[in-house]
């Protein structure tokens, strides 16, 4: 059942929000012990929200999202509901405020089932850095679901929610969406408020929907998008009606195929799936145009300077003083800082804090951070140039399908390379989606990425919808 | 105190001025001073996870005002940066400040030196930044208390060029800067409460040398007097070090006003690496010329311009104009007195001599004066209208200063009204002339100075209430007639 279908059943009162929520909570209870997709299940809160949703559905104040059970990545602060960010540091943290994203969802009447697992502070590509243990891929529980929004992806793939909210700093929505066979959208930087979303890298972080289809994603995005006076980097632009903008044809749409995203050694099955997708787009009326994004190869090194630099500063507030983990019996201030942070953060977080501290330090700033900012502008300029000639860009989302648990966790560079195709988009602040477009020999999902110009989420969703109208890939579900 | 004449001082001041915005720089919390600890805080002040700063636009207006007042260049695009360091009263682990692109650059102000000459002092930059909280190390042994009420209070950091050459110039610069901030009503300028703070960078070099010496930074200077003293002390200390063959260590030194010395606070090895980088949570601040023009239209008249106008239009001396524009309150007092009809020069005299004299003796500020400008203006008008003499006016003023009563009532109640009735004066004069034949004789023999004595006798007989001009005229008339 898709979100759009469920919304219709709710609206026509063929099912109540409480019945729907109960069904999902039961399924979570059965499957979460295997998948570990949720860190916190808010049974009482969800039932209460469902009850209120039923009132709204009956009295005519419902929105299309009213009564829809969803999961929210555990870095969106939820008032009085534990928000861990996948870290021991915040294992007991109950925020006294609500993130703008969850506030908007609640106001629309959505039912938050719980908080989904994630890599610690969103730092990881496999969901193995979570303090609360790795998430299993519902397609093969010996494999990773991708990260950092691995819990949101797995929860959706296993039908533990009708939609989930993720966040994407370097691919954290799109990469797990690809590896679990779902639809994930990273909006334009600033399209969705970051207020109350625990920061990893402020200039790259962006919240977005993960859903079964482009149509579902459009509904969720419409609910969470928009300018927020609490986030000075959010964009002051009207939110279009994404659902209404969905089309089934792509006549006249020009799709750019960047040569840099088709390396010779690209997984043959992914290559094949992309080739087939290209044909589908042609059949839908689109034209394909080869393009070049020459600075692509600098994206990973650039990202791994900027993101850790911002993270090293963003994570300085976790000092054991006002909230979060504090070590036992600190001897003095320095001991409290050192041990609280040493004991409270995991290895990957510490690695990135050190990396970020290094690249910002006096004497290295110009060589690393300043240069990375220049390269970032060049990467953004590549896209800007390309969009003079094409409407959308099509690439693979990931270089491989889901890999086995433990495969790359001890090899950070190999892990970082799994975000090869998604990272440039964050550096350029563009909207992009991953949608399912095939499966490998093992039946594991393959995703493709579409990238649009700034604020063209409607075009992106429309193309994805047209593709999904013509193909069945998004309807494949793992065995229960 | 004086320093070796072979050396000259090179001084630059960094002033932190707390801005009087209603709310904090990045959230809606109040900025009121003196509230109970941690009662004026929110998740933004305490840097909780996920919260974001939103810039207070009132602060930007104040920064633009200040920039215009010091003839600075207001950047079309400025940016905020993070200054990273760990300290318990800095909740985020970074201070949001402006680093590479401050809002104001290349300003200046003019100070008057002790010899009356003027000197232009460059202001390198003014930037906006956030104040930290307070750590209190009293109470329980081995524990510290953190008060975050001050966290988020907006500051302007005003950095001068090293254009100051003496402690007196440094003092004059601070006074001038403080006056400007108060005229603009952006800062209350209270150094004791810390709403205005000053660090001094001091180095010395031999006269004629162009290369700057190694400088030290002086902190904890909580009054203008301490700024001047600490600079004097530090320059002498550096000269002693150099003269005995040593070299100056670049360091931060803490001034101890109790013993009038400074001691090292931290040296280079312990110096922080602040890892500045642009604040990603705030977009660059863009200020249009239109916005600057709008602020400029509402800029109040500032001390220099006001002083020039007092000289040009009201005929004051440069000295009086300087005294009367030294603070906004003084200037307002003067202008209000003149508005009551007091002659500007007379009013200037009364304020700078009588009023300030009394206030200084009683250690009061002009805002605390019981004599209102309105009353002082009316007192002067009474003199101008020959209703009381200057001498009587001083008696009236003393009563006004003590009681705050209005001058007319005092004159009435104490029967101090001047006698201008020539008939009454003539009869007293006739009596005085009859009583002092010797002096009358002397006058008539050419010793005309003796008239002073006779006037004195008349005034004595009238208890000072006779109009001295009338007395003089009638006396001369009688003596020569």
């Amino acid at each position: 059942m898709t979100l759009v279908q469920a919304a219709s059943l709710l609206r026509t009162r063929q099912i109540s929000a409480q019945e729907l929520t109960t069904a999902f909570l039961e399924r979570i209870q059965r499957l979460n012990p295997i998948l570990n997709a949720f860190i916190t299940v808010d049974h009482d809160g969800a039932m209460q929200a469902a009850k209120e949703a039923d009132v709204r559905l009956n009295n005519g104040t419902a929105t299309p999202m009213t009564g829809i059970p969803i999961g929210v990545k555990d870095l969106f602060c939820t008032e009085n509901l534990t928000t861990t960010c996948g870290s021991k540091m915040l294992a007991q943290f109950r925020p006294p405020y609500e993130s703008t994203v969850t506030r908007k969802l609640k106001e629309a009447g959505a039912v938050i089932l719980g908080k989904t697992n994630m890599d610690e502070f969103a730092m990881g590509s496999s969901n193995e850095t979570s303090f609360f243990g790795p998430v299993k891929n519902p397609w093969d529980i010996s494999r990773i679901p991708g990260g950092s929004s691995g819990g949101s992806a797995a929860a959706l793939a296993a039908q533990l929610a009708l939609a989930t909210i993720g966040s994407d700093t370097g691919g954290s929505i799109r990469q797990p969406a690809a590896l679990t066979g779902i639809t994930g959208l990273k909006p334009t930087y600033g399209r969705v408020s970051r207020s109350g979303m625990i920061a990893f890298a402020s200039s790259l972080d962006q919240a977005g929907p993960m859903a079964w289809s482009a149509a579902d994603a459009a509904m969720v995005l419409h609910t969470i998008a928009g300018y927020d006076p609490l986030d000075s980097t959010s964009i002051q632009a009207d939110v279009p009606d994404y659902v209404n903008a969905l089309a089934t044809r792509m006549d006249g749409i020009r799709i750019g195929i960047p040569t840099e995203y088709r390396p010779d050694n690209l997984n043959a099955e992914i290559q094949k799936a992309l080739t087939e997708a290209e044909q589908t787009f042609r059949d839908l009326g689109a034209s394909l145009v080869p393009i070049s994004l020459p600075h692509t190869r600098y994206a990973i090194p650039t990202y791994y300077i900027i993101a850790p630099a911002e993270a090293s500063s963003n994570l300085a507030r976790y000092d054991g003083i006002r909230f979060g983990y504090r070590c036992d019996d600190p001897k003095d201030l320095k001991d409290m800082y050192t041990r609280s942070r040493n004991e409270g953060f995991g290895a990957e977080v510490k690695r990135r804090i050190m990396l970020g501290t290094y690249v910002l330090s006096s004497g290295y700033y110009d060589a690393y951070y300043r240069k990375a900012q220049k390269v970032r502008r060049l990467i953004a300029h590549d896209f800007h140039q390309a969009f003079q000639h094409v409407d959308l860009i099509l690439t693979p989302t990931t270089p491989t399908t889901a890999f086995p648990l433990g495969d790359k966790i001890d090899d950070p560079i190999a892990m970082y390379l799994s975000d090869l195709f998604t990272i440039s988009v964050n550096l350029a602040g563009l909207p992009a989606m991953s949608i399912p477009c095939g499966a490998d020999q093992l039946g594991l999902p393959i995703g493709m990425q579409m990238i649009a110009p700034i604020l063209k989420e409607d075009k992106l969703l429309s193309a994805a919808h047209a593709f999904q109208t013509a193909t069945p890939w998004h309807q494949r579900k793992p065995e229960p | 105190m004086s320093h070796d004449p072979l050396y000259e001082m090179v001084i630059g001041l960094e002033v932190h001025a707390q801005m009087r915005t209603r709310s904090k720089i990045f959230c809606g919390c109040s900025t009121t001073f003196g509230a109970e600890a941690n009662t004026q805080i929110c998740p933004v002040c305490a840097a909780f996870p996920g919260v974001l700063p939103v810039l207070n636009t009132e602060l930007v207006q104040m920064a633009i005002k200040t920039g215009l007042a010091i003839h600075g260049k207001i950047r079309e695009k400025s940016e905020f940066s993070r200054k990273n360091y760990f300290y318990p009263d800095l909740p985020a682990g970074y201070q949001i400040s402006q680093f590479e692109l401050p809002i104001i650059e290349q300003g200046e102000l003019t100070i008057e030196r002790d010899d009356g000459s003027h000197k232009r002092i460059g202001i390198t930059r003014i930037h906006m930044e956030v104040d930290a909280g307070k750590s209190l190390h009293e109470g329980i042994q081995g524990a510290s208390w953190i008060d975050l009420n001050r966290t988020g209070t907006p500051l302007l950091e005003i950095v001068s060029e090293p254009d100051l050459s003496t402690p007196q110039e440094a003092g004059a610069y601070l006074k001038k800067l403080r006056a400007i901030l108060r005229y603009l009503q952006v800062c209350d300028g209270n150094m004791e409460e810390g709403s205005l703070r000053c660090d001094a960078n001091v180095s010395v070099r031999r006269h004629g040398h162009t290369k700057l010496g190694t400088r030290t930074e002086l902190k904890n200077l909580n009054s203008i007097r301490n700024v001047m003293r600490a600079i004097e002390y530090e320059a002498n200390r550096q000269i002693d070090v150099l003269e005995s063959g040593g070299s100056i260590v670049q360091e931060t030194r803490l001034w101890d006003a109790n013993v009038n010395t400074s001691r090292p606070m931290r040296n280079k090895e312990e110096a922080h690496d602040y890892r500045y980088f642009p604040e990603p949570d705030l977009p660059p601040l863009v200020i249009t010329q239109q916005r600057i023009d709008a602020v400029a239209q509402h800029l109040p008249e500032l001390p220099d311009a006001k002083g020039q106008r007092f000289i040009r239009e009201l005929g004051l001396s440069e000295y009086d104009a300087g005294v009367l524009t030294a603070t906004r309150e003084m200037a307002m007092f003067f202008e209000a007195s003149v508005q009551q009809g007091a002659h500007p020069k007379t009013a200037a005299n009364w304020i700078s001599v009588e009023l300030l004299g009394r206030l200084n003796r009683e250690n009061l500020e002009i805002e605390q004066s019981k004599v209102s400008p309105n009353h002082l203006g009316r007192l002067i008008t009474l003199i101008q209208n020959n209703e009381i003499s200057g001498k009587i006016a001083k008696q009236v003023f003393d009563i006004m200063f003590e009681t705050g009563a209005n001058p007319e009532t005092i004159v009435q109640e104490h029967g101090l009204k001047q006698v201008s009735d020539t008939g009454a004066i003539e009869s007293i004069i006739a009596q005085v002339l009859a009583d002092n034949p010797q002096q009358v004789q002397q006058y008539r023999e050419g010793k005309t100075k003796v008239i002073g004595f006779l006037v004195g006798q008349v005034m004595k007989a009238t208890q000072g209430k006779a109009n001295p001009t009338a007395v003089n005229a009638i006396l001369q008339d009688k003596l020569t007639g």
Side-chain angles (χ1 to χ4, degrees):
Chain A
M1 184 166 56
T2 67
L3 193 159
V4 170
Q5 288 161 351
S8 164
L9 292 176
L10 286 165
R11 199 164 49 243
T12 52
R13 307 311 287 141
Q14 293 175 62
I15 187 172
S16 74
Q18 289 171 85
E19 284 163 353
L20 193 61
T21 299
T22 305
F24 276 99
L25 287 170
E26 278 171 12
R27 193 170 164 83
I28 291 169
Q29 198 170 19
R30 190 155 54 83
L31 294 177
N32 198 50
I34 302 165
L35 298 172
N36 199 25
F38 281 88
I39 292 173
T40 303
V41 179
D42 185 19
H43 188 278
D44 295 348
M47 286 315 295
Q48 179 61 32
K51 208 171 149 185
E52 287 162 17
D54 279 330
V55 172
R56 287 180 71 174
L57 284 158
N58 284 327
N59 72 11
T61 59
T63 78
M65 286 298 288
T66 304
I68 300 294
I70 59 166
V72 176
K73 189 178 184 177
D74 207 14
L75 50 57
F76 293 92
C77 287
T78 39
E79 195 169 349
N80 294 325
L81 181 64
T82 308
T83 301
T84 69
C85 219
S87 181
K88 182 182 179 183
M89 185 60 87
L90 292 175
Q92 312 293 331
F93 178 60
R94 285 159 70 99
Y97 46 87
E98 191 77 41
S99 74
T100 297
V101 165
T102 50
R103 181 180 53 74
K104 287 188 161 196
L105 287 165
K106 286 178 173 178
E107 284 171 2
V111 173
I112 296 177
L113 298 166
K115 309 294 288 290
T116 58
N117 205 342
M118 56 183 285
D119 280 297
E120 186 180 8
F121 281 97
M123 298 176 189
S125 306
S126 67
N127 217 115
E128 293 170 290
T129 71
S130 170
F131 173 67
F132 300 91
V135 176
K136 313 289 169 50
N137 191 323
W139 293 87
D140 176 350
I141 59 167
S142 72
R143 290 176 188 269
I144 57 96
S148 66
S149 309
S152 288
L156 193 73
Q159 301 171 74
L160 306 186
L162 282 172
T164 53
I165 307 295
S167 72
D168 190 317
T169 306
S172 282
I173 286 175
R174 292 160 288 154
Q175 184 254 18
L179 301 190
T180 57
I182 59 161
T183 298
L185 167 59
K186 181 206 98 74
T188 306
Y189 180 79
R191 176 78 285 192
V192 178
S193 169
R194 292 185 298 115
S195 179
M197 183 173 98
I198 298 178
F200 159 18
S202 311
S203 74
L204 300 160
D205 295 344
Q206 181 62 203
M210 300 170 89
W212 276 113
S213 66
D216 287 4
M219 266 175 69
V220 179
L221 180 63
H222 190 262
T223 307
I224 62 175
Y227 171 69
D228 179 7
L230 294 178
D231 176 2
S232 308
T233 62
S234 67
I235 298 175
Q236 301 202 38
D238 291 339
V239 179
D241 186 339
Y242 297 119
V243 179
N244 251 340
L246 299 176
T248 51
R249 289 289 301 174
M250 294 183 68
D251 299 298
I253 304 283
R254 298 160 300 170
I255 298 177
I257 310 293
T259 50
E260 292 81 1
Y261 283 69
R262 299 295 170 89
D264 294 339
N265 58 356
L266 180 67
N267 177 304
E269 290 168 310
I270 293 177
Q271 178 65 62
K272 182 167 164 282
L274 261 291
T275 307
E276 286 172 13
E278 288 171 12
Q279 186 54 49
T280 305
F281 281 124
R282 276 195 208 94
D283 295 343
L284 288 166
S287 57
L288 302 179
V289 183
I291 58 164
S292 176
L293 299 167
H295 293 93
T296 299
R297 66 195 180 98
Y298 300 111
I300 287 193
T302 301
Y303 176 88
Y304 277 98
I305 289 168
I306 292 171
E310 293 180 7
S312 71
S313 176
N314 283 333
L315 270 60
R317 68 190 58 202
Y318 305 102
D319 55 9
I321 293 178
R322 299 166 311 285
F323 50 78
Y325 179 80
R326 183 191 287 182
C327 68
D328 290 332
D329 303 320
K331 286 200 300 285
D332 54 28
L333 180 63
K334 196 176 174 193
D335 184 47
M336 179 164 82
Y337 281 154
T338 312
R339 281 202 292 126
S340 297
R341 290 169 66 78
N342 193 31
E343 295 164 18
F345 289 138
E348 183 62 27
V349 170
K350 282 184 236 178
R351 177 161 32 237
R352 297 203 195 185
I353 290 174
M354 282 190 281
L355 197 59
T357 304
Y358 178 78
V359 299
L360 288 177
S361 55
S362 145
Y364 298 96
Y365 182 85
D366 287 338
Y368 292 106
Y369 190 81
R370 201 187 296 277
K371 188 167 277 177
Q373 288 292 12
K374 285 182 186 158
V375 178
R376 181 178 186 170
R377 283 193 285 276
L378 293 174
I379 289 169
H381 186 69
D382 280 357
F383 281 105
H384 182 74
Q385 290 291 102
F387 283 127
Q388 306 294 311
H389 310 289
V390 298
D391 302 298
L392 297 169
I393 293 171
L394 178 68
T395 78
T397 309
T398 55
T400 67
T401 51
F403 47 88
L405 282 157
D407 207 32
K408 296 181 179 175
I409 192 65
D410 296 321
D411 185 351
I413 300 293
M415 188 73 88
Y416 297 168
L417 285 172
S418 51
D419 292 334
L420 186 62
F421 299 140
T422 49
I423 266 177
S424 297
V425 167
N426 297 80
L427 291 168
L430 300 170
M433 277 181 94
S434 178
I435 62 173
C437 68
D440 70 4
Q441 283 176 337
L442 298 170
L444 296 170
I446 293 170
M448 66 177 180
Q449 174 175 242
M450 287 190 292
I451 309 166
I454 297 285
L455 289 177
K456 296 295 184 196
E457 284 83 359
D458 49 351
K459 297 279 184 299
L460 205 52
L461 284 160
S462 190
H465 182 68
F467 184 84
Q468 290 181 338
T469 310
T471 62
W473 297 112
H474 64 292
Q475 289 163 358
R476 281 179 78 236
K477 291 184 172 55
E479 297 299 313
Chain B
M1 289 198 289
S2 75
H3 64 279
D4 191 317
L6 286 175
Y7 286 88
E8 66 173 355
M9 299 183 198
V10 178
I11 305 158
L13 299 183
E14 289 175 19
V15 171
H16 286 89
Q18 277 184 354
M19 291 293 106
R20 290 170 54 185
T21 51
R22 276 158 294 186
S23 59
K24 290 185 180 180
I25 179 168
F26 296 127
C27 65
C29 290
S30 163
T31 50
T32 316
F33 179 80
E36 194 187 330
N38 295 315
T39 55
Q40 293 180 348
I41 63 170
C42 71
V44 175
C45 304
F48 267 52
V51 298
L52 297 171
V54 178
L55 181 61
N56 184 335
T57 51
E58 193 186 4
L59 170 64
V60 179
Q61 297 297 99
M62 289 185 173
I64 296 172
K65 263 190 187 179
T66 309
L68 290 170
I70 56 134
H71 314 291
K73 194 182 112 202
I74 292 150
R75 287 195 69 98
E76 188 193 348
K77 186 175 155 187
S78 67
E79 81 183 3
F80 286 91
S81 289
R82 291 187 184 176
K83 180 181 182 180
N84 294 282
Y85 64 96
F86 281 94
Y87 204 71
D89 61 23
L90 185 73
Y94 54 84
Q95 178 194 32
I96 302 178
S97 180
Q98 294 193 296
F99 185 56
E100 286 189 353
L101 304 176
I103 185 166
I104 314 287
E105 290 173 318
Q106 298 169 22
E108 62 176 54
L109 58 75
T110 304
I111 59 167
E112 193 176 328
R113 290 192 282 203
D114 287 353
D115 63 3
S117 66
H118 292 105
K119 183 174 177 182
R120 178 202 157 278
I121 308 299
I123 292 176
T124 317
R125 57 185 278 156
I126 298 180
H127 67 252
M128 298 178 278
E129 64 181 27
V130 57
D131 211 346
K134 277 180 179 164
S135 297
L136 309 161
H137 307 289
E138 296 149 9
I140 296 179
Q141 182 70 29
S144 294
W145 303 102
I146 309 295
D147 178 4
L148 296 181
N149 281 354
R150 198 179 69 180
T151 309
T153 304
L155 298 175
L156 288 191
E157 180 171 334
I158 303 159
V159 183
S160 85
E161 291 286 319
D163 288 345
L164 301 158
S165 313
T166 65
Q168 291 71 31
E169 288 183 13
Y173 168 84
L174 265 180
K175 279 181 197 158
K176 190 59 166 287
L177 184 60
R178 186 174 63 178
I180 290 171
L181 294 171
R182 284 176 168 168
Y183 266 77
L184 296 172
Q185 293 185 283
V186 297
C187 173
D188 62 27
N190 187 328
M191 290 189 76
E192 285 73 28
E193 277 183 12
S195 58
L196 192 74
R197 286 167 248 159
C198 177
D199 300 335
N201 287 299
V202 179
S203 65
V204 298
R205 65 180 169 199
R206 283 195 165 249
H207 272 294
H209 286 214
T210 48
K211 195 169 167 285
L212 287 169
T214 304
R215 68 186 157 89
T216 57
E217 185 179 3
L218 304 173
K219 285 189 179 288
N220 197 35
L221 312 173
N222 63 358
S223 69
I224 291 177
R225 207 163 87 116
N226 276 327
V227 171
M228 294 167 67
R229 279 183 176 178
I231 291 169
E232 185 78 44
Y233 171 86
E234 179 57 18
N236 285 327
R237 188 192 69 83
Q238 289 185 11
I239 291 163
D240 287 347
V241 169
L242 294 173
E243 284 296 304
S244 55
S247 56
I248 306 302
V249 183
Q250 187 174 342
E251 62 187 357
T252 300
R253 297 177 68 89
L254 207 62
W255 175 251
D256 186 340
N258 294 322
V259 286
N260 284 334
T261 54
S262 65
R263 59 187 148 78
M265 192 163 109
R266 52 172 182 246
N267 58 32
K268 221 176 179 181
E269 286 88 85
E270 296 166 53
H272 285 114
D273 179 353
Y274 291 119
R275 292 172 282 123
Y276 281 101
F277 74 105
E279 165 57 281
D281 287 335
L282 293 168
L285 175 65
V286 175
I287 296 171
T288 59
Q289 188 57 45
Q290 207 177 4
R291 185 168 178 187
I292 298 170
D293 293 344
V295 174
Q297 277 190 345
H298 297 100
L299 210 60
E301 191 181 32
L302 291 163
D304 286 351
K306 209 182 259 297
Q308 287 308 310
R309 182 167 61 81
F310 286 175
I311 294 168
R312 200 176 57 242
E313 293 178 8
L314 304 179
L316 297 196
S317 69
E318 193 171 334
Y319 175 80
D320 279 345
V323 170
L324 293 171
T325 55
T327 69
R328 176 172 172 271
E329 289 70 25
M330 192 102 74
M332 280 169 60
F333 198 106
F334 168 71
E335 291 187 286
S337 305
V338 171
Q339 207 131 50
Q340 287 301 312
H343 190 277
K345 274 183 175 169
T346 318
N349 253 322
W350 273 89
I351 292 169
S352 60
V353 180
E354 302 301 330
L355 182 61
L356 289 184
R358 282 296 298 269
L359 289 169
N360 283 343
R361 273 203 297 282
E362 318 232 341
N363 218 356
L364 295 172
E365 298 295 324
I366 196 155
E367 304 93 279
Q368 297 164 292
S369 166
K370 281 189 184 165
V371 180
S372 71
N374 182 312
H375 288 178
L376 185 69
R378 276 151 60 184
L379 177 69
I380 294 166
T381 315
L382 292 178
I383 308 169
Q384 288 167 188
N385 296 344
N386 290 327
E387 291 181 42
I388 56 173
S389 68
K391 203 172 163 194
I392 292 289
K394 284 180 188 170
Q395 286 177 41
V396 177
F397 176 82
D398 283 340
I399 299 166
M400 287 165 68
F401 192 88
E402 297 298 333
T403 65
N406 75 59
E408 293 85 355
T409 311
I410 297 169
V411 168
Q412 189 103 44
E413 284 178 359
H414 291 76
L416 296 172
K417 201 164 167 64
Q418 184 159 276
V419 180
S420 298
D421 171 357
T422 40
I425 294 173
E426 271 182 24
S427 68
I428 293 164
I429 285 176
Q431 187 62 46
V432 167
L433 293 181
D435 292 348
N436 298 284
Q438 200 184 334
Q439 282 73 14
V440 173
Q441 186 58 32
Q442 283 173 354
Y443 183 91
R444 289 190 173 140
E445 284 166 3
K447 291 183 181 170
T448 51
K449 271 185 185 167
V450 82
I451 194 166
F453 169 82
L454 295 168
V455 171
Q457 292 303 306
V458 177
M459 295 310 281
K460 198 174 164 188
T462 60
Q463 291 156 325
K465 286 181 285 183
N467 180 339
T469 318
V471 172
N472 245 307
I474 298 168
L475 256 178
Q476 278 193 16
D477 197 41
K478 297 274 177 204
L479 288 167
T480 52

